[in-house]
Amino acid sequence: MDVRILCLLLLLNNGLCSSFELSKEFDVKPLIRDFRDKNTYIRARNEMIFAESNMRIGHDIVLNNQEQKVNQKLMKYKQLEINESRVQNGKPFPPSVSFLTGKPLVEKSQVFQMIKLMPKGAALHLHDCSMVDLKWLVKNATYRDHCFMCTTVKHAVYFKFFGGTPPDNPDCPWKSVKTERQKARSIDEFDNMLYMNMSLITPDPVKAYPTIDVVWARFLQVLNQANGLINYTPVFTDYFYEALSEFNLDNVQYLEFRGLLPQVYELDGTTRNRDWVMKTYNDIFEKFVADHKNEFTGGKVIYSGIRVVPEIDVLNQVKEAVRFRQMYPSHFAGYDLVGQEDPGVPLISYVDALLYPSEHIPPIDLPYFFHAGETDWEGTPTDRNLIDAVLLNTSRIGHGYALTKHPQVMKVVKERGIAIEVNPISNQVLALVSDLRNHPAADLVATDFPVVISADDPSVWGARGLSYDFYMAFMALAGETTDLRLLKKLSMNSIQYSAMNPVEKGKAMNLWRQKWNAFIQQALHQLNQSGEISVFG
Amino acid sequence: MDVRILCLLLLLNNGLCSSFELSKEFDVKPLIRDFRDKNTYIRARNEMIFAESNMRIGHDIVLNNQEQKVNQKLMKYKQLEINESRVQNGKPFPPSVSFLTGKPLVEKSQVFQMIKLMPKGAALHLHDCSMVDLKWLVKNATYRDHCFMCTTVKHAVYFKFFGGTPPDNPDCPWKSVKTERQKARSIDEFDNMLYMNMSLITPDPVKAYPTIDVVWARFLQVLNQANGLINYTPVFTDYFYEALSEFNLDNVQYLEFRGLLPQVYELDGTTRNRDWVMKTYNDIFEKFVADHKNEFTGGKVIYSGIRVVPEIDVLNQVKEAVRFRQMYPSHFAGYDLVGQEDPGVPLISYVDALLYPSEHIPPIDLPYFFHAGETDWEGTPTDRNLIDAVLLNTSRIGHGYALTKHPQVMKVVKERGIAIEVNPISNQVLALVSDLRNHPAADLVATDFPVVISADDPSVWGARGLSYDFYMAFMALAGETTDLRLLKKLSMNSIQYSAMNPVEKGKAMNLWRQKWNAFIQQALHQLNQSGEISVFG
């Protein structure tokens, strides 16, 4: 049998075909005719299926024998889990269920368990104060001395650390967390209340968050609630170290996050400025890498303004970003604007400030990483942020949810390799799409767009690291037959499209390769132990 | 001012720009550079926005002065209505609300009112027994003599006409509708109960229909309930005449529908066969056109098997379709397979039967109109129906919901002008997508794919004619600035992509043009009357 036919058969049976490549360009014209016999038909059909599989993210990955064995196992799980939901078998399909209630379903998945083990490269779209599991904030930060809480009339709990007696706060009087916890019926119940109060988790998300504006209001509020804990200097430094630890534990070796570089406070009420914050990030990156040699690569900060401020503030932030990039070349990447995009000021209104680096003589190189197109509202100023992002030479696009409605922007993105930072769970929880199989990134995956998968604000919806979002990408942004090659390529993409310089990328890829090989060995070992390898032996 | 710049300004302000066209191909490369001044930037930006507007469905339509006035009014309403929902103004956006509860919101829309007046050309994707408002079935069919009903233990009401005493039916005993209605507390309440019982309408669709399989089970059941009324010979003929009347009243001049060509029964229990049914359709088409000269064009039947039968049945149906096409060239179009696609037999399993016409020597010309890709499950046998549909030379694709995940199929569809029959409300109600702004056809609209808008089974969700689906297409499958040119083109597409022959199409287009001009005059008249024209005078 011709190896090409064999490959087609393999592909049709289990989505496995990696030993060689057919030509990528596939001419449809000859197919379009009346078929005079079934064999010709089936051949044309297989060619078309193969041609599509050959356009997908990961089509250029060649799996070795060992990887193929792991892949077979992974695909067995994937097909099993899909079939449990598909065609009247009735189990809810996790990517179709709000993550706020569906997280336990994901955790039961064997596919998810394999993805957790897998090195996922870099997390490129995160935010400073929503990276760490809220349980850590509750179990660590709120147990520290001097921690106070207050509860508003609307039952939102805010926190602050005070050296002495807290000031009067009539609308929301400060109480010692320690005392409140002691007074509580049960410590677990009390801590769980704090956890739920700082998260979006709720038993009926449709009812609790009927519109995107409602969920965003609550989202910004819970971030604000946690900030009282996070922005206390000792917690701040520990929080960031913990963030790196959690991502490292989830087999992520590098991260880039949007940072507001907020004012951080001391017990005596004095505050630390942006320079202190940036230096702290820099030093903790260095320390963490030193503490985790041959394990963790590092990361970079993307300084971010909030898309509501006057243009003069944006100009000052841009200038500050230029300065930070000179001061911290290893750990500072560039500039972005954050906040809910629909009601926010569109990029075009900040264009004078944002053109500052390129209008300078000689031009200043300040990479941008714009959030753009995080909207369902086509044709609006928000939607046009995608156009400004690429015209302003953005290095990547945050979300780019509306991209597929913009054929010209798509052309630029593909030609220039502008990575789209896709955050599936975030887009679901923050009400852009309910069933992740309808996420437009499925089309980007189908046509090998430069896509990276990230987690946005995992803490807020009870996720941790990147694995949950990788699971959604694998199960919902790609079809039943799309295999390990997608995951491997997404993982490699995350390093390729990071803000690292070529030398840094080379080092990171070397480490990634070691981790990948170790993962394959570990997965094979598990298969061997469970005796299942014999099936494929 | 250069007319090109003027046009860009107009476009940016109100989406209006029709007096000329820029070149369609837009080279992005020169844009990608650092901008040295804001003017250059703004020019490049406007060019990119214009280039995208110039790729959309309708970009090639040139509006005359009168059409532009109507368009300005339409766009004023559109922007007003979008802004009422967008950015924390809080009104629910009708395309984001399940139509089962959101229909009254649509009816309040001024955009919808204008769309109702507009000639919408042809409805190309309908089904035989779900075209007529259920109110007609209740208020007309169930009031006829000899009408009996029975209620199952699960509260589903079935109907049948009997000449004498109905037979024993222990599980669901037959009762005279007339008597039951007389016994009811209120006739309105009773009739409303019958109406609701045959429809999917429910106050809490998410709760009532948690999965696609649940809603499909109920959908098939309510179709079945109505069939007891519809398939009684006298009702059957009147039902079809009523269908043509309702679409005609909704300014639709032609229709093509999938027909099962069911057994139709007489009072004495005897039945009429497919030939009788097909002849009846043919004769009623002729009669309706004769009764509505210069108003209605006609229509065609697409004979449809159910995608669960053995292949031998499909072969027999294909042969029968060939015969009908010879017998009724004016009113018979071709063949399709219908039913829920996910659990159904995929096209590939019927390929021997479906290749029959092309394997014949000489090949027999039997147009196919396959439902394909009405699924969220990528990479499954169902999803691959899209591949078989185009390889089997389908004339159009029913739904094609999964199309954008299939780049090779997209290529064929675009190159060969295979129209995609998009039924927005159907896809929402039958649980493929909840917010219609996430419907993948938005991408097809953005890149001028051959799209037609249809209504699928309007009766079942309380719609009527095409206007509700056109409204969804205009508000949700296109952006805020996309204007009357989209609607005009969609309306023209429906005639272009119909199964009419060139002579029939020519006649239909002539009538359509008269209707269009009359619509513009009527709309202008209304604007004049309301004194609003002065704004644009």
Side-chain angles (χ1 to χ4, degrees), chain B residues 193-261:
Chain B
M193 179 276 289
L194 295 185
Y195 176 86
M196 293 297 281
N197 207 279
M198 279 187 283
S199 93
L200 288 181
I201 300 168
T202 171
D204 191 343
V206 177
K207 206 167 197 173
Y209 313 124
T211 71
I212 189 168
D213 295 323
V214 172
V215 74
W216 263 89
R218 169 94 174 123
F219 172 56
L220 296 176
Q221 185 200 299
V222 297
L223 289 176
N224 209 10
Q225 289 173 247
N227 279 346
L229 295 168
I230 298 169
N231 290 342
Y232 171 47
T233 314
V235 176
F236 189 81
T237 51
D238 291 354
Y239 182 92
F240 187 54
Y241 196 93
E242 174 66 18
L244 300 181
S245 303
E246 286 189 10
F247 278 85
N248 185 41
L249 274 173
D250 193 41
N251 293 303
V252 175
Q253 70 182 77
Y254 173 93
L255 55 83
E256 290 178 12
F257 65 93
R258 270 71 170 180
L260 300 173
L261 308 182

Coordinates of all heavy atoms in Angstrom, one line a residue, chain B residues 193-261:
Chain B
M193 N -53.9 27.0 24.7 CA -53.3 25.8 25.2 C -52.9 24.9 24.0 O -51.8 24.4 23.9 CB -54.3 25.0 26.1 CG -53.8 23.7 26.6 SD -54.1 22.3 25.5 CE -55.9 22.1 25.6
L194 N -53.8 24.8 23.0 CA -53.5 24.0 21.8 C -52.3 24.6 21.1 O -51.4 23.9 20.6 CB -54.7 24.0 20.8 CG -56.0 23.3 21.3 CD1 -57.0 23.3 20.1 CD2 -55.7 21.9 21.8
Y195 N -52.3 25.9 21.0 CA -51.2 26.6 20.3 C -49.9 26.3 21.0 O -48.9 25.9 20.4 CB -51.5 28.1 20.3 CG -50.3 28.9 19.7 CD1 -50.3 29.2 18.3 CD2 -49.4 29.5 20.5 CE1 -49.2 29.9 17.8 CE2 -48.3 30.2 19.9 CZ -48.3 30.5 18.6 OH -47.2 31.2 18.0
M196 N -49.8 26.5 22.3 CA -48.6 26.3 23.0 C -48.1 24.9 23.0 O -47.0 24.6 22.9 CB -48.8 26.7 24.5 CG -49.0 28.2 24.7 SD -47.6 29.2 24.2 CE -46.5 29.0 25.6
N197 N -49.1 24.0 22.9 CA -48.8 22.6 22.9 C -48.1 22.1 21.7 O -47.4 21.2 21.7 CB -50.1 21.8 23.2 CG -49.9 20.4 23.8 OD1 -49.5 19.5 23.1 ND2 -50.1 20.4 25.1
M198 N -48.4 22.8 20.6 CA -47.8 22.5 19.3 C -46.5 23.3 19.0 O -46.0 23.2 17.9 CB -48.8 22.7 18.1 CG -49.8 21.6 18.0 SD -50.8 21.9 16.5 CE -51.9 23.1 17.1
S199 N -46.1 24.1 19.9 CA -45.0 25.0 19.6 C -43.9 24.8 20.7 O -44.1 24.1 21.7 CB -45.4 26.5 19.7 OG -45.2 27.0 21.0
L200 N -42.7 25.3 20.4 CA -41.6 25.2 21.3 C -41.6 26.4 22.3 O -40.7 26.4 23.2 CB -40.2 25.2 20.6 CG -39.8 24.0 19.8 CD1 -38.5 24.2 19.1 CD2 -39.8 22.8 20.7
I201 N -42.5 27.3 22.2 CA -42.5 28.5 23.0 C -42.7 28.1 24.5 O -43.5 27.3 24.9 CB -43.6 29.5 22.6 CG1 -43.3 29.9 21.1 CG2 -43.6 30.7 23.5 CD1 -44.5 30.6 20.5
T202 N -41.8 28.7 25.3 CA -41.8 28.4 26.8 C -41.2 29.6 27.5 O -40.3 30.2 26.9 CB -41.0 27.1 27.1 OG1 -40.9 26.9 28.5 CG2 -39.6 27.1 26.4
P203 N -41.6 29.9 28.7 CA -41.0 31.1 29.4 C -39.6 31.0 29.8 O -38.9 32.0 29.9 CB -41.9 31.2 30.6 CG -42.6 29.9 30.8 CD -42.7 29.3 29.5
D204 N -39.1 29.7 29.9 CA -37.7 29.6 30.4 C -37.0 28.5 29.5 O -36.8 27.4 29.9 CB -37.6 29.2 31.8 CG -36.2 29.3 32.4 OD1 -35.2 29.4 31.6 OD2 -36.0 29.3 33.6
P205 N -36.5 29.0 28.3 CA -36.0 28.0 27.3 C -34.8 27.2 27.8 O -34.6 26.1 27.6 CB -35.6 28.9 26.1 CG -36.4 30.1 26.2 CD -36.6 30.3 27.7
V206 N -33.9 27.9 28.6 CA -32.7 27.3 29.1 C -33.0 26.1 30.0 O -32.4 25.0 29.9 CB -31.8 28.3 29.9 CG1 -30.6 27.6 30.4 CG2 -31.4 29.4 29.0
K207 N -34.1 26.3 30.8 CA -34.5 25.3 31.7 C -35.2 24.2 31.0 O -35.0 23.0 31.2 CB -35.4 25.9 32.8 CG -35.4 25.1 34.1 CD -36.1 26.0 35.2 CE -35.8 25.4 36.5 NZ -36.3 26.3 37.6
A208 N -36.1 24.6 30.1 CA -37.0 23.6 29.4 C -36.1 22.7 28.4 O -36.4 21.6 28.3 CB -38.1 24.3 28.6
Y209 N -35.1 23.4 27.8 CA -34.3 22.6 26.8 C -32.8 22.7 27.2 O -32.1 23.5 26.5 CB -34.6 23.2 25.4 CG -36.0 23.4 25.1 CD1 -36.5 24.7 24.7 CD2 -37.0 22.4 25.2 CE1 -37.9 24.9 24.4 CE2 -38.3 22.6 24.9 CZ -38.8 23.8 24.5 OH -40.1 24.0 24.3
P210 N -32.4 21.9 28.1 CA -31.0 22.1 28.6 C -30.0 21.6 27.5 O -28.8 22.1 27.6 CB -30.9 21.2 29.8 CG -32.1 20.2 29.7 CD -33.1 20.9 28.9
T211 N -30.3 20.8 26.6 CA -29.4 20.3 25.6 C -30.0 20.3 24.2 O -31.2 20.3 24.1 CB -28.8 18.9 25.9 OG1 -29.9 18.0 25.6 CG2 -28.4 18.7 27.3
I212 N -29.2 20.2 23.2 CA -29.6 20.1 21.8 C -30.5 18.9 21.6 O -31.5 19.0 20.9 CB -28.4 20.2 20.9 CG1 -28.9 20.3 19.4 CG2 -27.6 18.9 21.0 CD1 -27.8 20.6 18.4
D213 N -30.2 17.8 22.3 CA -31.0 16.6 22.1 C -32.4 16.8 22.7 O -33.4 16.3 22.1 CB -30.3 15.4 22.7 CG -29.0 15.1 21.9 OD1 -29.0 15.3 20.7 OD2 -28.0 14.7 22.6
V214 N -32.5 17.4 23.8 CA -33.8 17.7 24.4 C -34.7 18.5 23.6 O -35.8 18.2 23.3 CB -33.6 18.3 25.8 CG1 -35.0 18.7 26.4 CG2 -32.9 17.3 26.8
V215 N -34.1 19.6 23.0 CA -34.9 20.5 22.2 C -35.3 19.9 20.9 O -36.4 20.0 20.4 CB -34.2 21.9 22.0 CG1 -33.1 21.9 21.1 CG2 -35.3 22.9 21.6
W216 N -34.4 19.0 20.4 CA -34.7 18.3 19.1 C -35.8 17.3 19.4 O -36.7 17.1 18.5 CB -33.5 17.7 18.5 CG -32.9 18.5 17.4 CD1 -32.0 19.5 17.6 CD2 -33.3 18.5 16.0 NE1 -31.7 20.1 16.3 CE2 -32.5 19.5 15.4 CE3 -34.2 17.8 15.2 CZ2 -32.6 19.7 14.0 CZ3 -34.3 18.0 13.9 CH2 -33.5 19.0 13.3
A217 N -35.8 16.6 20.5 CA -36.9 15.6 20.8 C -38.2 16.3 20.8 O -39.2 15.9 20.2 CB -36.6 14.9 22.1
R218 N -38.3 17.4 21.5 CA -39.5 18.2 21.6 C -39.9 18.8 20.3 O -41.1 18.8 19.9 CB -39.4 19.3 22.7 CG -40.5 20.3 22.7 CD -41.5 20.0 23.7 NE -42.5 21.1 23.8 CZ -43.8 20.9 23.6 NH1 -44.3 19.7 23.4 NH2 -44.6 22.0 23.7
F219 N -38.9 19.2 19.5 CA -39.2 19.8 18.2 C -39.9 18.8 17.3 O -40.9 19.0 16.6 CB -37.8 20.3 17.6 CG -37.8 20.7 16.2 CD1 -38.7 21.7 15.8 CD2 -37.0 20.1 15.3 CE1 -38.7 22.1 14.4 CE2 -37.0 20.6 13.9 CZ -37.8 21.6 13.5
L220 N -39.3 17.5 17.2 CA -39.8 16.5 16.4 C -41.2 16.1 16.9 O -42.1 15.8 16.1 CB -38.9 15.3 16.4 CG -37.6 15.5 15.7 CD1 -36.7 14.3 15.8 CD2 -37.7 16.0 14.3
Q221 N -41.4 16.2 18.2 CA -42.7 15.9 18.7 C -43.8 16.9 18.3 O -44.9 16.5 17.9 CB -42.6 15.8 20.3 CG -44.0 15.3 20.9 CD -44.0 15.7 22.4 OE1 -43.2 15.2 23.2 NE2 -45.0 16.5 22.7
V222 N -43.5 18.2 18.4 CA -44.5 19.2 18.1 C -44.8 19.2 16.6 O -46.0 19.4 16.2 CB -44.1 20.6 18.6 CG1 -44.0 20.7 20.1 CG2 -42.9 21.1 17.9
L223 N -43.8 18.8 15.8 CA -44.1 18.7 14.3 C -45.1 17.6 14.1 O -46.0 17.7 13.4 CB -42.8 18.4 13.6 CG -41.8 19.5 13.4 CD1 -40.5 19.0 12.7 CD2 -42.4 20.7 12.7
N224 N -44.8 16.5 14.8 CA -45.7 15.3 14.8 C -47.1 15.6 15.2 O -48.1 15.2 14.6 CB -45.1 14.2 15.6 CG -45.4 12.9 15.1 OD1 -45.9 12.7 14.0 ND2 -45.1 11.8 15.9
Q225 N -47.2 16.4 16.3 CA -48.5 16.8 16.8 C -49.3 17.5 15.7 O -50.5 17.2 15.5 CB -48.4 17.6 18.1 CG -47.9 16.9 19.3 CD -47.6 17.8 20.5 OE1 -46.5 18.0 20.8 NE2 -48.7 18.4 21.0
A226 N -48.7 18.5 15.1 CA -49.4 19.3 14.1 C -49.7 18.5 12.9 O -50.7 18.8 12.2 CB -48.5 20.5 13.7
N227 N -48.9 17.5 12.6 CA -49.1 16.7 11.4 C -50.5 16.0 11.3 O -51.0 15.8 10.2 CB -48.0 15.7 11.2 CG -46.8 16.3 10.6 OD1 -46.8 17.4 10.1 ND2 -45.6 15.6 10.6
G228 N -51.0 15.7 12.5 CA -52.3 15.0 12.5 C -53.4 16.0 11.9 O -54.3 15.5 11.2
L229 N -53.2 17.3 12.1 CA -54.1 18.2 11.4 C -53.7 18.4 10.0 O -54.6 18.4 9.1 CB -54.0 19.6 12.2 CG -54.5 19.6 13.6 CD1 -54.1 20.9 14.3 CD2 -56.0 19.5 13.7
I230 N -52.4 18.7 9.7 CA -52.0 19.1 8.4 C -52.2 18.0 7.4 O -52.6 18.3 6.2 CB -50.5 19.5 8.4 CG1 -50.3 20.7 9.4 CG2 -50.0 19.9 7.0 CD1 -48.8 21.0 9.7
N231 N -52.0 16.8 7.8 CA -52.1 15.7 6.8 C -53.5 15.2 6.4 O -53.6 14.1 5.8 CB -51.1 14.5 7.2 CG -49.7 14.9 7.1 OD1 -49.4 15.9 6.4 ND2 -48.8 14.2 7.8
Y232 N -54.4 15.9 6.9 CA -55.8 15.6 6.5 C -56.1 16.3 5.2 O -55.9 17.6 5.1 CB -56.8 16.1 7.6 CG -58.2 16.0 7.3 CD1 -58.8 14.9 6.7 CD2 -59.0 17.1 7.6 CE1 -60.2 14.9 6.4 CE2 -60.4 17.1 7.3 CZ -61.0 16.0 6.7 OH -62.3 16.0 6.5
T233 N -56.5 15.6 4.1 CA -56.5 16.2 2.8 C -57.0 17.6 2.7 O -56.3 18.5 2.1 CB -57.3 15.3 1.8 OG1 -56.8 13.9 2.0 CG2 -57.0 15.6 0.3
P234 N -58.2 17.9 3.2 CA -58.7 19.3 3.0 C -57.8 20.3 3.7 O -57.6 21.4 3.1 CB -60.1 19.3 3.6 CG -60.5 17.8 3.7 CD -59.2 17.1 3.8
V235 N -57.3 20.0 4.9 CA -56.4 20.9 5.6 C -55.1 21.0 4.8 O -54.6 22.1 4.6 CB -56.1 20.4 7.0 CG1 -55.1 21.3 7.7 CG2 -57.4 20.4 7.8
F236 N -54.6 19.9 4.3 CA -53.3 19.8 3.6 C -53.3 20.9 2.5 O -52.3 21.6 2.3 CB -53.1 18.4 3.1 CG -51.7 18.2 2.5 CD1 -50.6 18.0 3.4 CD2 -51.4 18.3 1.2 CE1 -49.3 17.8 2.9 CE2 -50.1 18.2 0.7 CZ -49.1 17.9 1.5
T237 N -54.3 20.8 1.6 CA -54.3 21.8 0.5 C -54.5 23.2 1.0 O -53.8 24.1 0.5 CB -55.5 21.4 -0.5 OG1 -56.7 21.3 0.3 CG2 -55.2 20.1 -1.1
D238 N -55.4 23.4 2.0 CA -55.5 24.8 2.5 C -54.3 25.3 3.2 O -53.9 26.5 3.1 CB -56.7 24.8 3.4 CG -58.1 24.6 2.7 OD1 -58.1 24.5 1.5 OD2 -59.1 24.5 3.4
Y239 N -53.6 24.4 3.9 CA -52.4 24.7 4.6 C -51.4 25.3 3.7 O -50.7 26.3 3.9 CB -51.9 23.5 5.4 CG -50.6 23.7 6.2 CD1 -50.7 24.1 7.5 CD2 -49.3 23.6 5.7 CE1 -49.6 24.3 8.3 CE2 -48.2 23.8 6.4 CZ -48.3 24.2 7.8 OH -47.2 24.4 8.5
F240 N -51.2 24.6 2.5 CA -50.2 25.0 1.6 C -50.5 26.3 1.0 O -49.7 27.2 0.8 CB -49.9 23.9 0.5 CG -48.8 24.2 -0.3 CD1 -47.5 24.5 0.2 CD2 -48.9 24.3 -1.7 CE1 -46.4 24.8 -0.6 CE2 -47.8 24.6 -2.5 CZ -46.6 24.9 -2.0
Y241 N -51.8 26.5 0.6 CA -52.2 27.8 0.1 C -52.0 28.9 1.1 O -51.5 30.0 0.8 CB -53.7 27.7 -0.3 CG -54.1 28.9 -1.2 CD1 -54.1 28.7 -2.6 CD2 -54.6 30.1 -0.7 CE1 -54.5 29.7 -3.4 CE2 -54.9 31.1 -1.5 CZ -54.9 31.0 -2.9 OH -55.3 32.0 -3.7
E242 N -52.3 28.6 2.4 CA -52.1 29.5 3.5 C -50.6 29.9 3.6 O -50.2 31.0 3.8 CB -52.6 29.0 4.8 CG -52.4 29.8 6.0 CD -53.0 31.2 6.1 OE1 -54.0 31.4 5.3 OE2 -52.6 32.0 6.8
A243 N -49.7 28.9 3.4 CA -48.3 29.1 3.5 C -47.8 30.1 2.5 O -47.2 31.1 2.8 CB -47.5 27.8 3.3
L244 N -48.3 29.9 1.3 CA -47.9 30.9 0.2 C -48.5 32.3 0.5 O -47.8 33.3 0.3 CB -48.5 30.4 -1.1 CG -47.9 29.0 -1.6 CD1 -48.5 28.6 -3.0 CD2 -46.4 28.9 -1.6
S245 N -49.7 32.3 1.1 CA -50.3 33.6 1.4 C -49.5 34.3 2.5 O -49.2 35.5 2.4 CB -51.7 33.4 2.0 OG -52.5 32.7 1.1
E246 N -49.1 33.6 3.5 CA -48.3 34.2 4.6 C -47.0 34.8 4.1 O -46.6 35.9 4.5 CB -48.1 33.2 5.8 CG -49.4 33.0 6.6 CD -49.2 32.2 7.8 OE1 -48.0 32.0 8.2 OE2 -50.2 31.8 8.4
F247 N -46.3 34.0 3.3 CA -45.0 34.5 2.8 C -45.2 35.6 1.9 O -44.5 36.6 1.9 CB -44.2 33.3 2.2 CG -43.5 32.5 3.2 CD1 -44.1 31.5 3.9 CD2 -42.2 32.9 3.6 CE1 -43.4 30.8 4.9 CE2 -41.5 32.2 4.6 CZ -42.1 31.2 5.3
N248 N -46.3 35.5 1.1 CA -46.6 36.7 0.2 C -46.9 37.9 1.0 O -46.4 39.0 0.6 CB -47.8 36.3 -0.7 CG -48.1 37.3 -1.8 OD1 -47.2 37.9 -2.4 ND2 -49.4 37.6 -2.0
L249 N -47.7 37.8 2.0 CA -48.0 38.9 2.9 C -46.7 39.5 3.5 O -46.6 40.7 3.8 CB -49.0 38.5 4.0 CG -50.4 38.6 3.6 CD1 -51.3 38.0 4.7 CD2 -50.8 40.0 3.3
D250 N -45.7 38.6 3.8 CA -44.5 39.1 4.4 C -43.5 39.6 3.3 O -42.3 39.7 3.5 CB -43.8 38.0 5.2 CG -42.7 38.5 6.1 OD1 -42.9 39.6 6.7 OD2 -41.7 37.8 6.2
N251 N -44.0 39.9 2.1 CA -43.2 40.4 1.0 C -42.1 39.4 0.6 O -41.0 39.8 0.3 CB -42.6 41.7 1.3 CG -43.7 42.8 1.4 OD1 -44.5 43.0 0.5 ND2 -43.9 43.4 2.6
V252 N -42.5 38.1 0.5 CA -41.7 37.1 -0.1 C -42.4 36.6 -1.3 O -43.6 36.3 -1.3 CB -41.5 35.9 0.9 CG1 -40.7 34.8 0.3 CG2 -40.7 36.4 2.2
Q253 N -41.7 36.5 -2.4 CA -42.5 36.3 -3.7 C -42.3 34.9 -4.2 O -42.9 34.5 -5.3 CB -42.0 37.3 -4.7 CG -40.6 37.1 -5.2 CD -40.1 38.2 -6.2 OE1 -39.8 39.3 -5.8 NE2 -40.1 37.8 -7.5
Y254 N -41.4 34.1 -3.6 CA -41.1 32.8 -4.1 C -40.6 31.9 -3.0 O -40.0 32.4 -2.1 CB -40.0 33.0 -5.2 CG -39.4 31.7 -5.7 CD1 -39.9 31.1 -6.9 CD2 -38.3 31.1 -5.1 CE1 -39.4 29.9 -7.4 CE2 -37.8 29.9 -5.6 CZ -38.3 29.3 -6.8 OH -37.8 28.2 -7.3
L255 N -40.9 30.6 -3.0 CA -40.3 29.8 -2.0 C -40.0 28.4 -2.5 O -40.6 27.8 -3.4 CB -41.2 29.8 -0.7 CG -42.6 29.4 -0.7 CD1 -42.8 27.9 -0.7 CD2 -43.3 30.0 0.5
E256 N -38.9 27.9 -1.8 CA -38.5 26.5 -2.0 C -38.6 25.8 -0.7 O -38.1 26.4 0.3 CB -37.1 26.4 -2.7 CG -37.2 26.9 -4.1 CD -35.8 26.9 -4.8 OE1 -34.8 26.3 -4.2 OE2 -35.7 27.5 -5.9
F257 N -39.2 24.6 -0.6 CA -39.2 24.0 0.7 C -38.9 22.5 0.6 O -39.1 21.9 -0.5 CB -40.6 24.2 1.3 CG -41.7 23.5 0.6 CD1 -42.1 22.2 0.9 CD2 -42.4 24.1 -0.5 CE1 -43.1 21.6 0.2 CE2 -43.4 23.5 -1.2 CZ -43.8 22.2 -0.8
R258 N -38.3 22.0 1.6 CA -38.1 20.5 1.7 C -39.4 19.9 2.0 O -40.1 20.2 3.0 CB -37.1 20.2 2.9 CG -35.6 20.2 2.4 CD -35.1 21.6 2.1 NE -33.6 21.5 2.0 CZ -32.9 22.6 1.7 NH1 -33.5 23.8 1.5 NH2 -31.6 22.5 1.5
G259 N -39.8 18.9 1.2 CA -41.1 18.2 1.5 C -40.8 16.7 1.6 O -40.1 16.1 0.8
L260 N -41.4 16.1 2.7 CA -41.3 14.7 2.8 C -42.3 14.0 1.9 O -42.2 12.8 1.7 CB -41.7 14.3 4.3 CG -40.8 14.9 5.4 CD1 -41.4 14.5 6.7 CD2 -39.4 14.3 5.3
L261 N -43.2 14.7 1.2 CA -44.3 14.2 0.4 C -44.9 13.1 1.2 O -44.9 11.9 0.9 CB -43.7 13.7 -0.9 CG -42.9 14.7 -1.7 CD1 -42.4 14.0 -3.1 CD2 -43.6 15.9 -2.0

